[in-house]
């Protein structure tokens, strides 16, 4: 059974500092890994998707890396802003014979202080 | 496309009543997921469908929960009878061939 873990559960940084969010998973047989953002009381918004064959993916100030062999992914957010305050979740598509299953970590709650 | 559409957005019901949550996935998507989110347990996968067929319902907490997908554009999650501990936000998500998962805005269920 795939298990996804995100540490730390919460993070507070001053504005302008770079953010580093960690995600680990137990089963390396994945199809892809996705990072999401969730604002309070809202749904989830996809940020980045990394295919299992890729090592990283970039979008603006966001960069996500993937090391499938060690079961880890890291999301970097450069020059953080107060608007980056949210909960960030990673999710992995696990490969199964009858389809793919999207399993989420517990999330990291980020607060960027002005 | 308007994205994944869930209804209702909020539902307050009395314990013992039947609750039906609805989801319209993005047109053309072949995967549909139902999740439940609580402060204590985070985001839990309840069940998912591929091409309208339930693939894995191991996350469904009890027999009181059931889900159907009669066609590619509609799915329901039913709780009968509902209990206070079912109170949570229920999300529906869809994706195409295991690509980016798009989430609905969720249904906030309160069982009193």
């Amino acid at each position: 059974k795939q298990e996804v873990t995100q540490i730390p559960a919460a993070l507070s940084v001053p504005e302008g500092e770079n953010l580093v969010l960690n995600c680990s998973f137990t089963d390396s047989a994945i199809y892809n890994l996705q990072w999401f953002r969730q604002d309070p009381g809202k749904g989830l918004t996809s940020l980045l998707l990394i295919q299992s064959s890729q090592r990283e993916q970039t979008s603006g100030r966001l960069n996500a890396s993937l090391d499938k062999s060690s079961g880890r992914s890291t999301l970097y957010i450069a020059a953080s802003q107060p608007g980056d305050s949210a909960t960030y979740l990673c999710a992995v598509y696990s490969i199964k014979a009858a389809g793919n299953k999207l399993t989420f970590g517990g999330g990291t709650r980020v607060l960027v202080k002005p | 496309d308007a994205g994944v559409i869930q209804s209702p957005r909020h539902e307050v019901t009395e314990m013992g009543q039947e609750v039906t949550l609805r989801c319209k996935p993005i047109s053309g998507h072949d995967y549909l997921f139902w999740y439940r989110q609580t402060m204590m347990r985070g985001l839990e996968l309840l069940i998912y469908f591929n091409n309208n067929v339930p693939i894995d319902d191991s996350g469904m907490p009890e027999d009181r929960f059931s889900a159907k997908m009669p066609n590619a554009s509609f799915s329901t999650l039913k709780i009968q009878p509902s209990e206070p501990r079912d109170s949570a936000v229920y999300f529906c998500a869809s994706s195409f061939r295991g690509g980016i998962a798009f989430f609905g805005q969720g249904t906030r269920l309160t069982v009193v």
Side-chain angles (χ1 to χ4, degrees):
Chain A
K1 178 184 175 184
Q2 178 73 271
E3 292 184 1
V4 183
T5 304
Q6 291 184 250
I7 296 174
L11 186 60
S12 179
V13 298
E15 181 178 2
E17 194 165 295
N18 295 334
L19 281 164
V20 180
L21 307 178
N22 299 304
C23 172
S24 61
F25 47 95
T26 55
D27 185 351
S28 62
I30 67 170
Y31 185 57
N32 63 48
L33 182 145
Q34 300 182 33
W35 282 93
F36 293 84
R37 168 183 172 139
Q38 185 176 29
D39 293 290
K42 304 289 186 182
L44 280 73
T45 301
S46 179
L47 297 174
L48 289 169
L49 180 151
I50 311 178
Q51 299 290 355
S52 62
S53 58
Q54 295 178 309
R55 293 194 64 83
E56 68 176 321
Q57 191 68 253
T58 298
S59 176
R61 293 185 295 113
L62 276 59
N63 175 275
S65 66
L66 175 64
D67 185 342
K68 203 171 65 168
S69 61
S70 67
R72 294 182 181 181
S73 176
T74 302
L75 178 66
Y76 301 89
I77 303 177
S80 62
Q81 305 168 358
D84 295 328
S85 299
T87 297
Y88 292 84
L89 299 103
C90 70
V92 296
Y93 259 114
S94 302
I95 296 173
K96 288 182 66 175
N100 300 319
K101 183 173 180 176
L102 190 60
T103 306
F104 279 81
T108 296
R109 187 183 307 168
V110 171
L111 175 63
V112 180
K113 298 178 180 178
Chain B
D1 201 309
V4 176
I5 300 173
Q6 291 186 246
S7 64
R9 290 293 308 278
H10 302 274
E11 176 81 33
V12 180
T13 190
E14 292 185 347
M15 181 175 62
Q17 296 297 306
E18 177 180 296
V19 175
T20 299
L21 311 181
R22 297 173 175 78
C23 175
K24 182 179 186 304
I26 292 174
S27 177
H29 281 190
D30 55 349
Y31 282 88
L32 185 138
F33 305 84
W34 281 101
Y35 289 89
R36 176 172 69 175
Q37 187 175 43
T38 60
M39 288 293 292
M40 290 296 295
R41 301 174 69 91
L43 204 58
E44 302 173 279
L45 177 64
L46 300 177
I47 184 172
Y48 75 100
F49 296 82
N50 178 217
N51 291 322
N52 313 338
V53 176
I55 302 301
D56 187 342
D57 65 354
S58 60
M60 298 285 260
E62 299 170 36
D63 292 344
R64 299 184 294 106
F65 287 70
S66 63
K68 294 182 180 179
M69 192 165 186
N71 56 61
S73 58
F74 185 66
S75 177
T76 59
L77 178 67
K78 185 176 293 186
I79 308 172
Q80 165 65 16
S82 58
E83 296 182 4
R85 59 195 168 115
D86 300 332
S87 298
V89 180
Y90 291 80
F91 287 104
C92 174
S94 71
S95 72
F96 178 65
R97 292 186 182 178
I100 295 174
F102 292 85
F103 279 71
Q105 289 300 299
T107 295
R108 183 174 296 276
L109 174 65
T110 303
V111 183
V112 298

